[in-house]
Amino acid sequence: MIKTVLFDMNETMLNLSLLKENFDKNFDDNYVLKYWFTKLLHTSTVIGSMDEYKNFGELAGVVLESLFYENGKMLTNETKVEILGAFKSLPAYEDVPKALKLLKENRIRVVAVSNSSLEMIKEQLTNAGIIHLFDSYYSVDSVKKYKPFKDIYQYVALHEKTSVENIAMVASHDWDLFGAKKAGFATAYIKRKEEIFNPYYLQPDISETNLVDLVKKITEIK
């Protein structure tokens, strides 16, 4: 039985539309946001594999500078602040509040786990109007190792005082669920965009395109 559900933040619960608008102001390329995010993930993974750590804000800024440089564009401090600042105001997807309330009704703890700092997580959840639906939230700053390294998943399980078999991880990223699965959690994939779940990663236990439907399946896990 699932007693605690962990949620990824960006693109799982929070819509990146606002962030995309800011990228579109500077690039005529529909894939530039995805490229930036992929490059950011690659950087955090390489640093983590070398047992080094820089916080999300630092990495995001450096990767953004690299993106502008690669495209022969000048990145002003004003533009940098505008783009990265958009993270604080990302709106929640329409299905998020109802899904979280359903978990609360079933007496299941609701927890956010993010690569962002604790301060950023608090701002994001507050600005999205859903912080009151969370029991707690955790940042990788606590372990100085980004997802999908197992450290943060194990850290959360320890501090939530919950056995791994009673925890489910919800994310729209296959790599995040791969890490959670390796940590022993049940995994639930919310498909927010058209892409294939990597066949070389451990596959999710549940998959849906609507978060409410996904959560209903989680409450049925025995």
Side-chain angles (χ1 to χ4, degrees):
M1 179 181 292
I2 299 300
K3 297 180 180 179
T4 303
V5 177
L6 313 184
F7 284 89
D8 171 53
M9 297 273 292
N10 301 317
E11 209 165 27
T12 296
M13 294 189 298
L14 305 180
N15 193 324
L16 299 186
S17 56
L18 181 60
L19 186 60
K20 186 177 187 307
E21 287 177 14
N22 285 339
F23 272 96
D24 288 345
K25 291 179 184 177
N26 297 280
F27 298 93
D28 185 21
D29 184 344
N30 288 331
Y31 295 97
V32 69
L33 172 57
K34 186 171 185 178
Y35 174 70
W36 172 78
F37 188 76
T38 301
K39 192 176 181 69
L40 177 56
L41 175 62
H42 175 263
T43 303
S44 66
T45 302
V46 170
I47 287 179
S49 66
M50 294 293 105
D51 291 323
E52 298 287 342
Y53 185 74
K54 296 292 182 182
N55 68 46
F56 182 81
E58 291 178 284
L59 290 188
V62 167
V63 174
L64 187 63
E65 291 170 6
S66 176
L67 178 65
F68 271 74
Y69 182 80
E70 289 175 30
N71 285 272
K73 294 177 177 290
M74 180 177 291
L75 176 62
T76 65
N77 186 62
E78 182 181 1
T79 298
K80 186 176 182 179
V81 170
E82 181 182 28
I83 291 176
L84 298 181
F87 267 110
K88 299 178 182 179
S89 303
L90 298 177
Y93 283 103
E94 290 184 3
D95 56 2
V96 170
K98 185 175 180 180
L100 300 183
K101 289 175 183 177
L102 180 59
L103 288 173
K104 303 290 283 184
E105 290 169 3
N106 281 273
R107 298 182 181 179
I108 295 175
R109 284 182 62 79
V110 178
V111 178
V113 183
S114 177
N115 281 339
S116 297
S117 67
L118 280 177
E119 181 182 359
M120 175 66 83
I121 296 172
K122 184 178 181 179
E123 281 192 270
Q124 287 186 302
L125 294 177
T126 299
N127 293 336
I130 55 176
I131 194 167
H132 64 289
L133 297 172
F134 282 82
D135 294 295
S136 58
Y137 48 88
Y138 297 86
S139 165
V140 296
D141 284 348
S142 300
V143 295
K144 298 191 182 307
K145 220 47 171 308
Y146 284 94
K147 296 187 290 181
F149 289 99
K150 290 190 289 185
D151 306 57
I152 185 60
Y153 308 106
Q154 295 171 335
Y155 178 88
V156 173
L158 178 65
H159 282 261
E160 285 293 311
K161 299 178 180 179
T162 306
S163 299
V164 294
E165 61 265 23
N166 297 129
I167 299 176
M169 177 78 199
V170 176
S172 61
H173 307 294
D174 52 8
W175 49 268
D176 195 351
L177 295 181
F178 190 12
K181 176 70 80 171
K182 292 289 284 187
F185 298 171
T187 54
Y189 179 57
I190 177 67
K191 189 173 183 179
R192 294 298 194 191
K193 51 190 180 302
E194 290 302 316
E195 63 180 23
I196 297 172
F197 195 104
N198 195 314
Y200 295 110
Y201 296 170
L202 294 176
Q203 298 300 293
D205 299 294
I206 303 169
S207 179
E208 279 290 347
T209 57
N210 182 278
L211 195 60
V212 177
D213 294 333
L214 190 73
V215 162
K216 286 179 180 177
K217 289 186 177 180
I218 290 175
T219 62
E220 295 170 355
I221 295 177
K222 302 300 182 182

